[in-house]
Amino acid sequence: MTPESCLELLKMGNNCFITGPAGSGKTYLLQEYINWLKKNNIKVAITASTGIAATHLGGVTIHSWSGLGIRDDLSPYDLEALLEKKYLWQHFDQTAVLIIDEISMLSSRQLDAIDLICRNFKKPDEPFGGMQLVLSGDFFQLPPIVRYGQDSSFAYTAKSWKEADIKVCLLSSQFRQTDQNLYDLLTAIRGQYIDKNHKDSLISRIGISMSSVSPVRLFTHNIDVDGANDKELERLPGLINEYQSVHKGNKNLADSIERGSLIMPRLRLKMKAKVMFIKNNFEQGIANGTLGQIVGFNSDRLPIVILSDGREVTVDRATWTIVEDDKVKAEVSQLPLRLAWAMTVHKSQGITLEAAEIDLSKAFTPGMGYVALSRVRTFEGLKLIGFNEASLKVHEEAVIFEDLAKKIAFNLTEALKLIPKSRKTETTQRFVSKSAIAGAKLKKKISAHLATSLLLEEGLILKDLAKKRGVKIETILTHLEKLKEENILPDIKHLKPANNRLQTIHKAFFKTGSDKLSPVKSILPANFSFEEIRLARLFLD
């Protein structure tokens, strides 16, 4: 599918999953759509499954935005606690579109939990609360990180995925790999039809020397990365220049920017240090992942970096921000550099490297070898330390899913061709209008009992109210009591107990002369429950 066809589907308000090989332009397409949404005044929540991916789009992690945190699912008590948080109501209020990037690292349980949260903050009867859901990622890349003994299913197996009727947009373009042989190898890995020629191509890169640029060493573990970078820096002569990151705005949000990104809180540089840019600077022709070497420092102690093409650039501080409602909530400023002798495969996901040195003999999970190899543009940018065939394995589920995705994307493309342009325009305008109306309605939904109040209009009984809210009946009764206390309890005649039982309970209240439950329960027959007594108490004058 072309990016243009996918963009058409998005602008018509469809829930979509944008996927495709590494370097196929998923992030670029997302940014194009985000720009269109903002131009049309449609409020969008920009999130990702990891902090690094979130910084690529200027967003936050879905775990932070939704309140899910480090959990895989939610108990009724967890959900109740979230619904009491005013800042979460502010996150959901007016939001019409929810974007989640790097969906491969989100498990099916987590996606279902996010769906539950969205329904409780927005519209209970609609998937993800009625927001447009835009997912992006590649299931051939790194899988969800799960605790021992828990389900590691990919997000597309989630119940919420099926209910959301997600349209799969498989991009067929290729913007990263400029080497046909490398592209063929990566395609073979995705299809798991690797032959001797592919293996020979890889083996030929073992131990080769690179004269034009020194490669970044990709490790599977952080401890190896830190050790390699520190060791190389100490080998260099001369004094160290140190730079601290600076935080502004909300402390927790600023901390989350730093934790979930490639930003170095304490960056130590020397002459001849090998560095990598961690932020795009299109004016200077620098991309996230561009390599260079420190060749000097100016009078303000700013580093001067020589790039592989011979250009010298002076590197000033850059800023990473979290913006909500066009207001900067938090920001972190730091030099957009990090030491680049080594980094983890995990943190390399989403960036393009000019050259990489990889030990494929140490890949320990399916997809890791594919992620590492797809970081470079050409075979000339690849140096191997070791290789084993297990490193070329990917998840079997990913292969099956992509075969299905190809058929779905083809059918979608053909179906789009049959839709008249006037109808597409009309559908897009309807989506823009609906989203704008949702954004204009500033609903005062700041507490759990008010959220329950909204459902009372549907005429649900206690059991169904509790099920929809994901809480216990006792909690619903607490909400009703709070609504009555605040004199805003809606009509609940449909919840009234049978007349004879209601009268019996009311007589017991009058007899005890108290509104306490225990004295009333003690003089009633055993078949009267505390729940029924609490409900009847709501109908006392």
Side-chain angles (χ1 to χ4, degrees):
M1 177 179 285
T2 65
E4 291 76 21
S5 295
C6 184
L7 204 53
E8 275 189 323
L9 284 168
L10 290 168
K11 290 179 179 179
M12 291 164 68
N14 292 287
N15 293 335
C16 292
F17 170 47
I18 304 167
T19 189
S24 59
K26 297 184 289 293
T27 300
Y28 177 80
L29 177 59
L30 277 182
Q31 192 60 65
E32 285 286 295
Y33 187 51
I34 290 168
N35 293 340
W36 181 84
L37 290 170
K38 290 182 177 179
K39 182 180 178 181
N40 285 277
N41 299 312
I42 298 174
K43 186 173 178 183
V44 55
I46 305 167
T47 75
S49 63
T50 70
I52 296 171
T55 60
H56 292 166
L57 291 169
V60 296
T61 65
I62 183 61
H63 308 79
S64 170
W65 186 85
S66 67
L68 179 64
I70 62 173
R71 292 168 290 220
D72 293 316
D73 42 32
L74 296 164
S75 70
Y77 300 103
D78 291 332
L79 187 60
E80 186 70 15
L82 293 182
L83 291 168
E84 295 291 348
K85 296 185 183 297
K86 185 175 180 179
Y87 79 91
L88 286 178
W89 285 109
Q90 293 171 340
H91 280 185
F92 284 93
D93 191 30
Q94 304 178 74
T95 299
V97 180
L98 173 60
I99 291 175
I100 309 177
D101 194 15
E102 293 293 1
I103 192 66
S104 73
M105 298 187 72
L106 205 68
S107 71
S108 58
R109 294 172 64 190
Q110 289 171 324
L111 189 63
D112 280 341
I114 292 163
D115 173 50
L116 178 63
I117 293 170
C118 292
R119 287 173 184 260
N120 275 269
F121 278 95
K122 301 286 282 184
K123 297 178 181 178
D125 293 328
E126 296 186 31
F128 295 91
M131 294 182 288
Q132 182 193 28
L133 181 67
V134 181
L135 307 175
S136 177
D138 179 12
F139 292 115
F140 284 93
Q141 300 196 31
L142 297 179
I145 298 173
V146 295
R147 296 178 181 86
Y148 177 75
Q150 291 189 344
D151 181 18
S152 62
S153 297
F154 283 119
Y156 67 82
T157 65
K159 178 184 177 185
S160 55
W161 182 292
K162 298 177 180 67
E163 292 178 347
D165 187 27
I166 293 170
K167 306 289 190 293
V168 179
C169 301
L170 178 63
L171 299 180
S172 53
S173 307
Q174 179 51 240
F175 300 103
R176 179 178 296 160
Q177 278 75 43
T178 56
D179 181 330
Q180 187 62 43
N181 289 332
L182 178 58
Y183 177 74
D184 290 344
L185 168 66
L186 295 174
T187 303
I189 293 175
R190 293 178 74 89
Q192 288 293 277
Y193 53 81
I194 304 154
D195 60 25
K196 184 177 182 300
N197 289 333
H198 296 129
K199 294 173 188 175
D200 288 344
S201 296
L202 281 172
I203 293 170
S204 71
R205 305 307 298 171
I206 295 177
I208 56 93
S209 60
M210 292 183 173
S211 55
S212 58
V213 61
S214 179
V216 177
R217 298 173 66 190
L218 295 184
F219 289 99
T220 54
H221 296 88
N222 278 309
I223 190 169
D224 296 323
V225 171
D226 294 338
N229 281 329
D230 290 343
K231 185 177 180 180
E232 293 294 338
L233 188 68
E234 292 303 320
R235 283 180 178 176
L236 295 176
L239 299 175
I240 289 177
N241 282 286
E242 192 169 298
Y243 308 85
Q244 297 286 344
S245 62
V246 177
H247 293 199
K248 291 183 181 179
N250 183 286
K251 182 180 184 303
N252 290 333
L253 288 178
D255 288 344
S256 71
I257 293 174
E258 193 165 87
R259 283 195 308 270
S261 69
L262 293 170
I263 300 169
M264 299 295 292
R266 176 171 166 258
L267 178 62
R268 300 162 70 236
L269 299 176
K270 280 183 180 181
M271 283 283 291
K272 296 188 177 181
K274 182 179 176 183
V275 292
M276 179 180 71
F277 286 82
I278 58 172
K279 201 174 196 321
N280 293 328
N281 186 329
F282 298 117
E283 291 181 1
Q284 291 185 321
I286 293 170
N288 183 13
T290 296
L291 298 174
Q293 186 179 50
I294 305 292
V295 292
F297 297 89
N298 69 9
S299 57
D300 295 322
R301 291 180 56 250
L302 294 177
I304 301 168
V305 177
I306 186 169
L307 307 178
S308 58
D309 61 9
R311 289 184 298 134
E312 289 188 7
V313 295
T314 300
V315 184
D316 206 343
R317 281 181 175 262
T319 302
W320 291 257
T321 60
I322 290 177
V323 178
E324 291 181 7
D325 298 328
D326 297 324
K327 294 181 180 178
V328 177
K329 297 291 186 180
E331 69 176 42
V332 177
S333 68
Q334 175 60 294
L335 293 177
L337 299 172
R338 66 179 290 132
L339 296 177
W341 285 285
M343 68 186 307
T344 61
V345 173
H346 174 267
K347 286 190 174 181
S348 74
Q349 186 162 307
I351 68 173
T352 303
L353 298 173
E354 294 172 57
E357 180 181 295
I358 310 166
D359 186 354
L360 285 181
S361 67
K362 293 186 178 181
F364 59 84
T365 188
M368 185 169 280
Y370 175 78
V371 170
L373 290 170
S374 60
R375 294 312 92 203
V376 296
R377 298 180 186 276
T378 66
F379 264 124
E380 284 65 38
L382 173 66
K383 177 180 180 179
L384 290 184
I385 300 173
F387 163 73
N388 65 43
E389 294 191 18
S391 65
L392 304 183
K393 295 293 183 184
V394 295
H395 286 274
E396 291 181 14
E397 299 96 321
V399 180
I400 296 170
F401 180 83
E402 177 150 285
D403 286 341
L404 178 62
K406 287 177 181 176
K407 296 174 184 176
I408 294 172
F410 175 79
N411 291 336
L412 275 174
T413 301
E414 294 303 304
L416 269 175
K417 292 177 183 177
L418 300 176
I419 301 175
K421 186 176 180 180
S422 59
R423 185 178 160 195
K424 291 178 183 177
T425 301
E426 181 184 341
T427 304
T428 298
Q429 289 175 342
R430 191 162 55 243
F431 170 62
V432 171
S433 299
K434 175 186 173 184
S435 301
I437 291 171
K441 291 180 179 178
L442 183 61
K443 297 178 182 178
K444 188 179 181 181
K445 299 186 292 183
I446 58 173
S447 64
H449 68 292
L450 289 176
T452 294
S453 177
L454 295 174
L455 289 179
L456 290 172
E457 300 173 5
E458 299 181 18
L460 301 175
I461 62 175
L462 284 178
K463 181 181 177 182
D464 291 336
L465 278 169
K467 184 178 179 180
K468 277 208 167 189
R469 295 284 281 102
V471 298
K472 292 186 176 181
I473 290 177
E474 292 92 330
T475 303
I476 295 296
L477 288 168
T478 299
H479 292 171
L480 298 180
E481 289 164 349
K482 201 165 185 178
L483 290 167
K484 183 178 181 181
E485 181 185 332
E486 296 177 3
N487 202 29
I488 54 174
L489 181 65
D491 184 359
I492 57 170
K493 289 178 182 177
H494 63 287
L495 297 179
K496 186 182 288 188
N499 196 49
N500 62 327
R501 295 181 71 83
L502 182 67
Q503 290 180 0
T504 301
I505 296 171
H506 282 182
K507 285 178 182 178
F509 273 110
F510 294 140
K511 187 173 182 178
T512 62
S514 168
D515 63 353
K516 304 296 182 186
L517 298 175
S518 294
V520 173
K521 180 77 168 74
S522 67
I523 64 173
L524 285 172
N527 64 341
F528 284 84
S529 67
F530 273 110
E531 286 179 5
E532 189 176 16
I533 298 169
R534 285 183 72 183
L535 184 59
R537 185 172 60 179
L538 291 167
F539 293 92
L540 282 171
D541 295 330

